[in-house]
Amino acid sequence: MRVVRSISAMQRLARQWQRGGARIGFVPTMGYLHEGHLSLVREARTRVSHSGKVVVSIYVNPMQFAPTEDLSRYPRDLKRDLANCRKLGVNAVFVPSDTAMYPGRAEGNYSTYVVEETLAGRMEGASRPTHFRGVTTVVAKLFNIVLPDIAVFGAKDWQQAAIIKRMVSDLNFPVKIIVAPTVRETDGVAMSSRNKYLVGNLRPQAVVLSHSIKLARELVKASAKPVSAVRLNTTVAKIVSAAPDARLDYVEFFDPETLLPQKQVTRGSHMALAVFVGKTRLIDNGRL
Ligand code: PAF
């Protein structure tokens, strides 16, 4: 397994692989890999088969964090991440520095961004206004560096995946986007690097997100008619407020493809929510 730190070296390697006829499967991550990330790596391997190459990037992208967010304390463990990638037969791990990715940014000499203007405004985008601009910019850059044929994203970041798909379609990136299912802990909590922040009695309270989705699903399933989003909203607010350290940021019911909000919720509608558990902001989503 190669550990590649420079952009030109990664591009050279990708071009060399392409000349040899290998397909490249790519999993972009911010590291601190958990079973959810590893399932994306396995998916990438399956898609490109053994003749293909799998690349994982590990880069905590400062551009997608607001100044008030957790950039400096975001969990990192490169040694363990590399060991996990090696075990899964990853061909290259791309680990760039901030100065390689954004030369001149610290001095104000970076001024080109990729902005998706329709899907990025609501839900996560409403709570974190500069977040998706950072995500689309870094993912576009990573696609230009890793030159993948396919890229795998987790369904846990449903809105992110929808925005990336739109970016790829609008800007003609020659890459197929695969969205792989969310991996959950045994109690239903979606795996996330930020779960590390949930110490003591906070961790058990994180189940309010998956419980909310499960209950909303049951209500929709049991009803012969569409269920109003207002009613489901009230139900979710009750579940969340029953946990002493949890605070609902938003819950939305929407069409899974267009992300357009739905006032009447039926089976096949999608639900997403963000909840602060203590100071940690968690997200989850699911099909109803
Ligand atoms: O989902 C993530 O971990 C990040 O948003 C991504 C796609 C790696 C971009 O930094």
Side-chain angles (χ1 to χ4, degrees):
M1 185 181 81
R2 319 236 188 142
V3 179
V4 184
R5 293 182 187 270
S6 104
I7 289 174
S8 54
M10 187 64 242
Q11 283 169 328
R12 263 199 314 277
L13 184 61
R15 286 203 196 98
Q16 183 195 316
W17 284 339
Q18 284 174 338
R19 277 195 302 273
R23 278 163 53 76
I24 301 176
F26 178 42
V27 182
T29 80
M30 299 207 298
Y32 208 70
L33 305 180
H34 50 67
E35 193 44 48
H37 295 112
L38 303 184
S39 74
L40 307 182
V41 175
R42 288 189 199 98
E43 181 67 35
R45 170 56 69 202
T46 306
R47 298 279 175 158
V48 298
S49 81
H50 282 284
S51 58
K53 306 289 180 186
V54 172
V55 180
V56 172
S57 65
I58 295 180
Y59 179 58
V60 183
N61 171 37
M63 198 185 275
Q64 68 191 73
F65 289 77
T68 50
E69 292 178 352
D70 57 343
L71 173 63
S72 60
R73 66 185 195 113
Y74 195 83
R76 295 161 211 243
D77 190 341
L78 185 59
K79 203 168 154 209
R80 197 189 65 183
D81 290 348
L82 294 179
N84 276 322
C85 288
R86 201 167 280 120
K87 258 189 239 152
L88 289 185
V90 168
N91 299 94
V93 181
F94 177 53
V95 194
S97 64
D98 286 342
T99 42
M101 287 301 279
Y102 300 113
R105 185 166 181 250
E107 298 81 45
N109 290 329
Y110 185 92
S111 51
T112 305
Y113 301 91
V114 177
V115 181
E116 192 288 323
E117 294 194 332
T118 300
L119 307 175
R122 299 182 9 259
M123 297 193 277
E124 285 305 285
S127 294
R128 307 177 68 192
T130 56
H131 174 66
F132 285 124
R133 180 183 81 155
V135 172
T136 40
T137 301
V138 81
V139 171
K141 285 166 73 73
L142 290 167
F143 285 174
N144 284 334
I145 296 165
V146 174
L147 310 176
D149 296 282
I150 64 140
V152 188
F153 291 83
K156 174 169 167 281
D157 296 294
W158 189 266
Q159 188 179 9
Q160 168 173 281
I163 291 167
I164 300 290
K165 281 195 248 172
R166 176 66 64 86
M167 176 189 86
V168 161
S169 156
D170 287 352
L171 298 183
N172 309 101
F173 280 95
V175 51
K176 183 176 165 56
I177 302 301
I178 312 291
V179 182
T182 303
V183 178
R184 296 180 181 280
E185 307 278 359
T186 45
D187 63 357
V189 172
M191 287 201 181
S192 161
S193 305
R194 289 191 168 100
N195 291 350
K196 181 183 160 58
Y197 301 146
L198 302 171
V199 290
N201 72 340
L202 294 178
R203 175 60 186 79
Q205 298 182 54
V207 296
V208 293
L209 289 96
S210 55
H211 281 181
S212 297
I213 298 170
K214 194 161 169 264
L215 189 61
R217 188 177 290 132
E218 279 163 11
L219 287 172
V220 168
K221 197 173 167 193
S223 170
K225 292 184 299 184
V227 182
S228 88
V230 174
R231 178 174 160 218
L232 291 172
N233 213 308
T234 310
T235 308
V236 170
K238 261 193 211 143
I239 296 176
V240 173
S241 64
D245 300 296
R247 178 170 63 79
L248 184 63
D249 185 12
Y250 70 79
V251 53
E252 276 210 28
F253 303 90
F254 56 90
D255 177 281
E257 300 304 321
T258 62
L259 305 190
L260 285 174
Q262 295 176 328
K263 289 198 170 115
Q264 295 298 323
V265 181
T266 58
R267 290 189 80 180
S269 293
H270 214 87
M271 162 179 172
L273 75 170
V275 173
F276 284 95
V277 177
K279 289 196 175 107
T280 303
R281 189 170 175 283
L282 302 175
I283 59 171
D284 202 351
N285 71 82
R287 186 179 189 274
L288 300 183

